[in-house]
Structures are given as structure tokens and as C-alpha cells.
Amino acid sequence: MENPFLSEEKIWVLDGGMGTMLMKKGLNVNYAPELLNVEHPEVLIEIHKEYIEAGADIIETNTFGSNRIKLSHYGLEDRVKELTAAGVKLAKEASEGRALVALSVGPTGVFAEPVGDYTFDQLVDVFREQIEAGAEAGADLILIETMSDTKEAKAAVVAAQEVCNLPVMVSLTYQEDGRTLLGTPPEVSAAIFEGFGVAAVGANCSLGPESFVEIIKKTASVTETPIIVYANAGLPILKDGKTIYPEPPETFGKYAVEFVKAGANIIGGCCGTTPEHIRAIKEAVKGLKPVKRNPVKGLKVASRTELVIIGSGHPTRIIGERINPTGKKRLQEALKSGDFSLIKKEAKKQVEEGADLLDVNVGVPGIDERAAMKEAVKTVIESVSVPIMIDSKDPEAVEEALKYCDGRPIVNSCSGEKKDIENILPLVKKYGANVLLLAIDDEGLKEKAEDRVSVVEKLIKECEKLKISKNSIIVDVLNLAVSAMPESTVETLKAIRMVKEKLKLPTTLGVSNVSFGLPARPLINSAFMAMAIEAGLDSGIVNPGDSRMVETIYASDVLVGKDKGAKRFVEKFQNYKPKGIDTQCREVLKKICQLSCGFLGEEVKVEKGEEKKEDESEAEEAPPGVLGKIFKKVLEGDKGGIVPLTEEALKKFEPMEISDKALIPALDVIGKKFEKGEIFLPQMLRSAQAVQASFEVLKREIKKKGGDVKTQGKIVMATVHGDVHEIGKNIVITMLENSGFEVVDLGTNVPPQKVVEAAKEEKADIVGLSALMTTTLPAMEETIKALRSAGLDIPVIVGGAVVTPEYAESIGGIYGGDAQEAVKIVKQLLKSEEAANG
């Protein structure tokens, strides 16, 4: 089906909140709302009709949680197809052709690896079951919504595009910092899902309408994909004992106009909105047309958190080449033995040296390349935040990497060879990736530039057959050793110009090939790089540790006009000190003088101070010796490497000494970094998991000696009645346990009385309650009232996406904004209690 939202004439109106309306109708939504599709179909039809009468062009099915993972919390996992199909049929009956029916596909409530335990394939299978049922029942669209994890959303898109050809829309949910729970900003999300050719991309839930304008602008700045947006009716408040959403319909009418100006094509409402809100939107956008956008041009390559654009008008990008075992015996042997520590080291080093992307290649004869590629990609994405390029000719290895990596990578590469066209290009399409096209085919590398470009043109046609956009293509016209074929270098430069001028595509090269067989290779490489940049090269696969190459790239960008006003050049080299012979001699003399008589000592101190790295502050906090190594492993999130170090430390230190001097201080550093926005949830969780692995070793040692593991306090945790979301709760539990607290996890959908009983039985110091759904907020208040009625005056920390500080205070709870904040509050509360008890 063609994308209906590409119309230049129409702003589409989506319906409003389903849970809100079900509650208004007096139905119990604290069980599985999807069950109402078969138990109260007449109410669902009534709600759909009310939204259509209000002006909705698109109505959503009541199937937000009808996947087997969510339904398993209610023992309904075997009814996915039944409940999903019923939801679609009700919407179709109500619409009578007056509105499009969008199959609502919400999150599963679990994370994909490496953050969680579910594989990409498992999530695809879960979504496939739901989407196939919805498509067969007659849905017009697929709306993948309220997603916090782009990888989970990618799994849903892959599933949808496997089972049907319906338009697919993707909507993420953002926090107040403008990022998803896992740290993805709107412009990165837009780039990722543009790669899949989705019908629309955007945002919903979590925030009130005022917060969505900036999200729309950022999305519109990078893509021409239609934008969908549907906000909550503000953040919930408690009024007269009821949870209400404060924003009236008039607010939505006002912001609908702002949304259109910012670039939105599809506007509706989420939690707390009603037909009146949708009517206000419809009236406000009447006569308005989508604005003309001018998004940034170029190849968009993304990790989970960063976007790098390659092409004309952008800096020459450095693609780090060092994660490649070719000619590197140490790396070859490490890969054969399953040791990925060198890859981790190289990834970090190259990014520190200025790499914008990293090429990842594990091609060693005799190894399981598929397994090695997955582990290599895992190592890289856990070590650095830049995007990656998957470098392999093995389709199984490429697919494994595409499933595992975050963001929108480049697949390096697809040549004009038949096997590549048949095996690599379909993977690029399926997983929404970018692709590097090689100017070589079954006949080999062409000598003339025109022939190389002809191969590329044929490959572009193959991409068009699969509906791979030209926006996903980068070209490598190839580069041979000038010592063997002097004329080939001239043809390479000519081919770069032709690709840029005729095909208007971004370009890259493996630059160092040109100097093979010659002495002083960096001289040839850097000279050729300058010539290639002038010819139109947009990126180079180079060694970022080659200072001559990096200097040449920055200088060339100034000379060809890529660096206007030499801003990047000045920023990079304002303290430039050439490493000539005189400079080297001076450095040696300074050291000799300092050692012999202290001469120039002050100057040395100043220079050292200038060169102090940011991570030295971490080093200052780290303890010496093996405890310092453990401290570092926590910062790196290395749960495999921390175990042998913990065992080594036990030969010298008591278990709690290791915890108090290494583990807990390292977690404090991680917490500070998280608060400053220097790291995001995945990194924080990896550090917590490393601490957990170390704690397991310490616990075994304590028990072996006949002791008990002392805790700082006991906390009972639960997701409130009617709510089956547990991601937030589980994150808090992980952080609390690794900070030395004992946690009793009651799970999800926990009735108030069960919380009361557990708090009594466990003699809990604190209770923690979580809720993600707006419809379950009243259950949070009911649980606190039940605790107080039972005479339990212990502190109750409340949190979740829909919980606000004001709401927490109004129901007698203490607001925990995130996992790190919750840990801080628990420590403060228990410390205050300890002081009060003398």
C-alpha cells in the first residue's frame, strides 16, 4: 500500500485516549483491557464512533498490549490472535469506511539484549503473532507506539514488514530531557526509522503538548518522513480524590497549529484526551497544509544515541579501520581464542583519536564468523557510542550484526557480484540499514572511471527493485596500489568526481591501499587523501591514530570549503605543536633538566595541567592496586572481567572491604555521570550488572566463612494492581541491590493487600511502588491508603513515567524520578532513621 500521509494537502487527525474513555464508561481496566474486545464489544464500538464523530481520520484498535508477553501476566498468552482480531473487527465495524483503522502495537515491557535478556528474533516472533492477526482481520495501518527502546521498535517494524504490506507508523515516547528511556534523541529515531521507509515517525505519551514542539522540530530537521504526534493531556494530578489530566481541549487546539508549523502531518491525543480534545484539534487544523521541510541531506548513520551525517556540506568523516584482523597477528589470535579485549581497546582508542564511525571486521579463516561478529558488535557498542560499519562478506555474519546492533549502521559492502546482490542487499532492506556499494562486479575491478561508475549505476537499480532509498547508499569506487598501477589513482579520483556530480551520492575509500608496497606510506596516504577530498570524497576508512592523516583531513576541509571559517580546524589545532626534530629535542632536554636540577620544572607542571584528561578525576577516586582495577571494571561495565579480579582481591581483603572501597564508590561515579547526561541507562545497567557479578563472588565467600550478608535495609517493591509493566521497577531493584540493600520483589499487577502483607511479614523499611499506565495511578493511591490503614507508617517511594512530584505528594508518597534518584532517597531515609534511633 502506498503511504497515504505523503499528501501535500491534508493534516490527518488521530483519535484520543482509549484507557481514558474505558474508565469514563465505568469499565475495569485494571485487568487486561484487550479482554474487553470480547466481553464488552458494544462499548468499544461506541468509543470508536465518538472519536470518528469528533473528526478522527484514524482510529486505533484496543490492542495496545495484545502481545503474548503482556498477556501472559493475566494467563491470556494463548489468546493473542483472538483478542487482536476482535479489536480490529470492532474498529472496522465502527468506522464504516469513514476512518482508517490502525492496529495499536505497544511495547512488550522487556528489553532486547544487550540491555535485556530477549533476543531480537524472540521479539520479532512476539510482534509477528500480533501483527499478522491484526492484518488478517483487516487493519489499514500498523501503529507501533509508546516505544522506549528503538531496538524493540525495530523488531516490531521487521515483523510488520515480514507479514504484510500495510503502512507502518512508529512513535517513540520521550522523557523531559528530550530522550527516550535508553537515551535516544528524536533526530536519531527519525534517522533509524527513515531507513525502514516507514509511513510516519514521531512521538506520543509521557509529556504534555508543550513539550512536543521541540521534538517535532528535531525530527523534521533530519527527515521528510511524515511526522505523527499525540500528547497526553498534561501530567496527571489528584483532584477531589480522582486522578485527572489538566489540559483542556482548547490547549490541544492551540498546540495543534504549533505542531503543524513545526512539521507534523498526523496529530491526535494520548492519555487523558477525549473526543472533545480531538474535536478541538480537527477544528484547529481545518484548512492547514503540511509545511515544506528542508531536512539535512546526506547519509544518516546512527548508533543508539548519536547521528553522523556523511555527504556534501558535511565534514570529511573518519571511519576507523583498526578493528580488522587483516595483517594483525595479535588480533587474529585473540579472535581465534574468543578474546575480544583488543577490540574493546581499539574501539575506545580510535574514538578518542577522533573516529566518527568504526568499521568492524572479524574475518579470520577458521572461526565462526557469525558468532564472532555478534560478540565484536556487542563489545563495540558497549564500549563507545559512535555508529558502526559492519564489514563482512558472510551474509549470516552480516545479519547477526544487523539484529544485534543499535541504530542505523552501514553494511560494508555490496559489490556488483551476483552473490552480493542476492544475499546482502535483501538484508540491508529488511533491517533498515545503509549500504556501501563497491564499484566492482563478477568481471573484477574496471580500469576506467566510467566503467566503475557504470557498475555502481547497475547496483543502484538493484537497490531500487528492493525499494532501498538512495538516501541509504554510500559509494566506494575502490583504490589500488599506485606502485603497481600508477594510472589507477587518477581514475579513482575521476570516478569520485563522477559519483558526486552525476549520481549525487556520498563517497568513501579505503585510503591506505594506495601506498601498499612503498616506504613512508603515511606520506603517500595523506597526500592522496587531500587530492581525494578535493575530488569530492566524503569519508575515509583510515587509521585515526595517524596524526598526519588527521591533520590532512582537517586542513583539506578548510581549503575546499567544508569547514566554513575554519571553525573545526581552529578548535582541533589551536594548541597545535608540530612534532619536528627541534620539538622532540626540546622535550628530551626539558626532561633531563627537570631530573638534574629542576630547571623548567614549573613549565612542565603547567603543560601537564593543560593536558589533564577528564577521566583523571575518576582515577583520583579509584583506590590503589587490585581494588582500583575492580573500580575500573565497574565503570566499564565489564561483568566478565570483574569476577577474576574480585577473586584475586579476596586473597588480601575482606568481602565488605572490597564492596565499600571499590564497588560502591564506582557506582557513585556512575550515578554522577548518569545525572550529568554523560552516560545513559544501558551503560548504567551494565555497570550495575558488573557490580552484581562481583557481589555474587563476595556473597559466596561470606557464606563460606559462616557469616551473613549484611544489608543496609530491606525494601518491598511492586508494580501496582492492574499494571504489568516492570522495566522501571526492575531497573530500580538492580540499582538498590547493588548498593547493598535487600529487595523483595512482588512482581507486577500486585493488589494493595498483598503489598501490606509483604511489608509486615518482611519487616520492610521502605515500600517502592511503580506504575506506567495512567489508568493504574489510582491503584498507587489505594495501596498507600491500605498501608496506612494497616498501621504501617513506613516511607513509600513512588515512580513511573506518568508519576509527577506533585502527584506523589498528593497521595502521601515520596517521588523517585529515576533509579539513581530512588537509591539516593533510600539512603537518605535509612540514614535519617538510623540517626533518629541513636
Side-chain angles (χ1 to χ4, degrees):
M1 185 186 289
E2 294 299 316
N3 186 353
F5 309 119
L6 290 173
S7 168
E8 296 180 358
E9 300 298 320
K10 182 175 182 177
I11 298 297
W12 293 74
V13 176
L14 180 69
D15 65 7
M18 175 57 74
T20 302
M21 291 301 292
L22 290 172
M23 290 177 69
K24 278 181 174 288
K25 302 290 183 182
L27 294 182
N28 175 22
V29 293
N30 287 338
Y31 192 57
E34 294 75 21
L35 198 57
L36 298 173
N37 294 339
V38 294
E39 293 184 348
H40 291 282
E42 72 288 349
V43 178
L44 270 300
I45 291 174
E46 185 180 330
I47 292 170
H48 288 316
K49 285 183 175 180
E50 287 180 19
Y51 276 125
I52 293 170
E53 293 299 325
D57 303 303
I58 308 165
I59 56 173
E60 288 188 61
T61 58
N62 182 40
T63 57
F64 181 80
S66 65
N67 62 73
R68 78 173 77 120
I69 295 176
K70 282 276 189 71
L71 290 177
S72 67
H73 293 282
Y74 308 104
L76 300 172
E77 60 270 24
D78 59 342
R79 298 181 68 179
V80 170
K81 292 190 175 183
E82 174 199 355
L83 298 178
T84 302
V88 172
K89 288 173 182 176
L90 292 175
K92 294 290 284 188
E93 181 181 339
S95 72
E96 298 177 327
R98 295 176 295 166
L100 296 176
V101 172
L103 177 71
S104 172
V105 179
T108 58
V110 300
F111 283 131
E113 58 182 3
V115 181
D117 298 324
Y118 277 74
T119 68
F120 189 86
D121 284 339
Q122 286 174 324
L123 290 179
V124 170
D125 189 54
V126 167
F127 286 121
R128 185 190 292 115
E129 181 182 25
Q130 178 187 9
I131 294 171
E132 189 170 37
E136 289 176 356
D140 301 306
L141 310 164
I142 310 298
L143 176 52
I144 298 161
E145 60 176 334
T146 324
M147 291 285 172
S148 297
D149 180 2
T150 53
K151 188 179 285 188
E152 182 182 23
K154 284 167 69 173
V157 174
V158 168
Q161 294 182 341
E162 277 185 357
V163 302
C164 66
N165 63 353
L166 298 176
V168 178
M169 302 185 287
V170 179
S171 181
L172 285 297
T173 183
Y174 295 92
Q175 303 180 112
E176 288 185 8
D177 63 358
R179 293 175 180 263
T180 67
L181 180 65
L182 295 189
T184 306
E187 56 272 30
V188 171
S189 299
I192 291 171
F193 294 104
E194 179 188 74
F196 285 95
V198 298
V201 65
N204 76 291
C205 205
S206 292
L207 307 168
E210 71 283 351
S211 301
F212 279 74
V213 176
E214 191 62 27
I215 290 172
I216 297 169
K217 288 180 178 177
K218 289 181 177 179
T219 304
S221 71
V222 299
T223 186
E224 292 179 340
T225 303
I227 297 173
I228 181 171
V229 57
Y230 45 119
N232 286 349
L235 295 173
I237 60 174
L238 195 67
K239 187 175 181 181
D240 299 328
K242 293 182 179 179
T243 302
I244 65 166
Y245 285 81
E247 295 297 349
E250 299 78 47
T251 301
F252 274 69
K254 169 190 168 185
Y255 274 103
V257 176
E258 295 301 312
F259 292 166
V260 172
K261 289 179 182 177
N265 307 65
I266 308 157
I267 303 170
C270 202
C271 303
T273 59
T274 65
E276 286 70 33
H277 291 82
I278 302 310
R279 188 171 284 108
I281 293 171
K282 186 73 171 184
E283 186 64 30
V285 301
K286 190 183 297 181
L288 296 182
K289 297 179 181 180
V291 297
K292 298 288 183 182
R293 288 188 240 157
N294 185 30
V296 63
K297 300 296 188 293
L299 187 81
K300 301 171 187 98
V301 195
S303 63
R304 186 190 291 275
T305 57
E306 293 187 16
L307 175 64
V308 174
I309 301 176
I310 305 174
S312 301
H314 301 284
T316 302
R317 302 299 186 182
I318 296 174
I319 303 174
E321 68 177 6
R322 297 291 300 168
I323 303 177
N324 188 323
T326 305
K328 303 183 184 75
K329 289 184 179 180
R330 278 187 66 208
L331 184 53
Q332 289 175 11
E333 292 304 317
L335 288 171
K336 286 179 182 178
S337 65
D339 179 5
F340 290 84
S341 59
L342 279 178
I343 285 183
K344 182 175 186 177
K345 182 179 179 182
E346 279 294 351
K348 287 188 170 185
K349 187 170 184 286
Q350 288 184 101
V351 172
E352 288 169 0
E353 291 166 342
D356 300 295
L357 297 87
L358 295 181
D359 185 75
V360 181
N361 184 310
V362 294
V364 178
I367 69 168
D368 181 345
E369 189 171 347
R370 176 180 176 176
M373 178 61 84
K374 177 180 178 178
E375 191 62 32
V377 168
K378 176 179 185 290
T379 300
V380 171
I381 66 176
E382 288 185 352
S383 302
V384 296
S385 60
V386 301
I388 68 169
M389 186 155 75
I390 300 162
D391 190 354
S392 175
K393 284 294 187 181
D394 182 339
E396 289 188 351
V398 170
E399 183 164 23
E400 197 65 33
L402 286 169
K403 290 175 185 176
Y404 200 86
C405 78
D406 296 313
R408 184 180 176 186
I410 302 173
V411 173
N412 178 15
S413 55
C414 179
S415 71
E417 296 175 9
K418 185 179 179 181
K419 62 181 177 65
D420 279 1
I421 293 170
E422 293 179 349
N423 298 323
I424 299 297
L425 280 185
L427 296 177
V428 172
K429 171 60 180 175
K430 180 177 180 178
Y431 295 100
N434 297 300
V435 62
L436 188 156
L437 300 183
L438 281 180
I440 188 172
D441 59 17
D442 290 302
E443 297 175 0
L445 179 64
K446 309 295 193 261
E447 185 177 328
K448 295 297 183 182
E450 292 82 359
D451 295 329
R452 297 188 203 179
V453 175
S454 178
V455 172
V456 175
E457 288 176 317
K458 290 175 183 176
L459 278 168
I460 291 171
K461 289 180 181 177
E462 295 293 337
C463 289
E464 289 172 351
K465 290 178 186 177
L466 291 172
K467 295 186 179 179
I468 296 173
S469 167
K470 285 186 73 174
N471 294 331
S472 299
I473 296 172
I474 186 169
V475 175
D476 184 342
V477 295
L478 292 169
N479 176 30
L480 294 177
V482 69
S483 59
M485 297 181 67
E487 67 284 354
S488 71
T489 301
V490 175
E491 292 299 321
T492 295
L493 294 172
K494 183 179 178 183
I496 291 172
R497 287 193 174 91
M498 290 180 68
V499 170
K500 295 297 294 181
E501 294 168 8
K502 183 180 180 182
L503 305 181
K504 302 190 184 307
L505 289 171
T507 56
T508 194
L509 272 181
V511 177
S512 61
N513 293 342
V514 72
S515 64
F516 187 77
L518 293 173
R521 292 183 67 185
L523 302 181
I524 296 289
N525 293 342
S526 57
F528 176 67
M529 188 69 182
M531 297 169 72
I533 289 173
E534 191 281 327
L537 188 69
D538 297 302
S539 62
I541 306 170
V542 300
N543 177 9
D546 180 347
S547 60
R548 188 185 295 273
M549 176 64 76
V550 173
E551 290 163 0
T552 298
I553 290 170
Y554 275 80
S556 297
D557 275 3
V558 174
L559 298 175
V560 301
K562 285 186 174 183
D563 184 6
K564 303 294 184 184
K567 184 178 178 181
R568 289 180 74 245
F569 183 84
V570 171
E571 185 179 335
K572 179 79 173 177
F573 297 113
Q574 57 185 336
N575 297 318
Y576 180 66
K577 295 175 183 177
K579 299 295 182 184
I581 294 176
D582 291 343
T583 304
Q584 290 175 4
C585 288
R586 177 170 169 77
E587 292 298 320
V588 172
L589 284 171
K590 279 164 62 177
K591 288 176 182 175
I592 292 172
C593 291
Q594 185 185 26
L595 289 170
S596 60
C597 59
F599 183 64
L600 291 179
E602 290 302 313
E603 187 178 349
V604 172
K605 287 178 185 176
V606 171
E607 289 187 355
K608 281 186 177 178
E610 289 174 351
E611 294 173 2
K612 185 176 181 179
K613 295 181 180 179
E614 289 181 11
D615 61 4
E616 283 186 17
S617 60
E618 295 171 9
E620 288 168 5
E621 294 186 41
V626 68
L627 294 181
K629 292 177 182 178
I630 292 172
F631 182 97
K632 186 178 180 183
K633 291 299 180 184
V634 174
L635 301 187
E636 294 175 351
D638 186 353
K639 63 181 180 182
I642 203 170
V643 171
L645 287 173
T646 305
E647 291 169 345
E648 180 186 339
L650 282 170
K651 297 174 184 177
K652 299 180 181 179
F653 303 97
E654 290 298 316
M656 294 314 297
E657 195 174 1
I658 296 170
S659 173
D660 294 341
K661 292 185 177 179
L663 299 177
I664 301 303
L667 268 183
D668 288 340
V669 171
I670 287 295
K672 290 172 187 174
K673 283 177 168 287
F674 182 75
E675 288 175 353
K676 293 177 182 177
E678 295 174 6
I679 62 170
F680 300 99
L681 185 60
Q683 295 99 313
M684 186 171 74
L685 282 178
R686 284 198 293 272
S687 291
Q689 288 161 1
V691 171
Q692 200 165 26
S694 182
F695 265 141
E696 289 305 315
V697 178
L698 299 182
K699 287 176 185 176
R700 286 198 299 269
E701 182 66 18
I702 292 171
K703 289 178 180 177
K704 190 195 301 182
K705 292 181 177 180
D708 292 322
V709 180
K710 294 182 180 179
T711 65
Q712 297 186 52
K714 185 181 284 188
I715 299 96
V716 166
M717 291 286 299
T719 299
V720 297
H721 186 52
D723 204 320
V724 297
H725 298 85
E726 58 182 341
I727 287 177
K729 171 180 68 67
N730 291 347
I731 292 168
V732 173
I733 289 172
T734 300
M735 296 303 294
L736 284 169
E737 288 180 337
N738 293 331
S739 297
F741 299 100
E742 182 181 352
V743 180
V744 178
D745 181 10
L746 301 182
T748 63
N749 190 25
V750 183
Q753 194 55 38
K754 187 175 178 181
V755 176
V756 172
E757 290 169 2
K760 284 182 176 178
E761 185 177 334
E762 299 291 343
K763 297 180 180 178
D765 298 298
I766 293 172
V767 169
L769 300 177
S770 174
L772 182 72
M773 298 165 60
T774 55
T775 54
T776 57
L777 279 176
M780 189 171 271
E781 182 185 8
E782 289 168 18
T783 304
I784 294 177
K785 284 182 178 177
L787 286 165
R788 301 299 177 245
S789 297
L792 294 172
D793 197 27
I794 57 177
V796 181
I797 301 174
V798 297
V802 294
V803 181
T804 64
E806 293 77 17
Y807 183 78
E809 184 179 1
S810 69
I811 63 174
I814 301 167
Y815 178 67
D818 54 46
Q820 192 63 30
E821 183 66 22
V823 172
K824 273 187 178 179
I825 293 169
V826 169
K827 286 181 177 179
Q828 290 167 357
L829 288 171
L830 294 182
K831 191 179 290 184
S832 301
E833 185 179 324
E834 187 180 331
N837 292 334

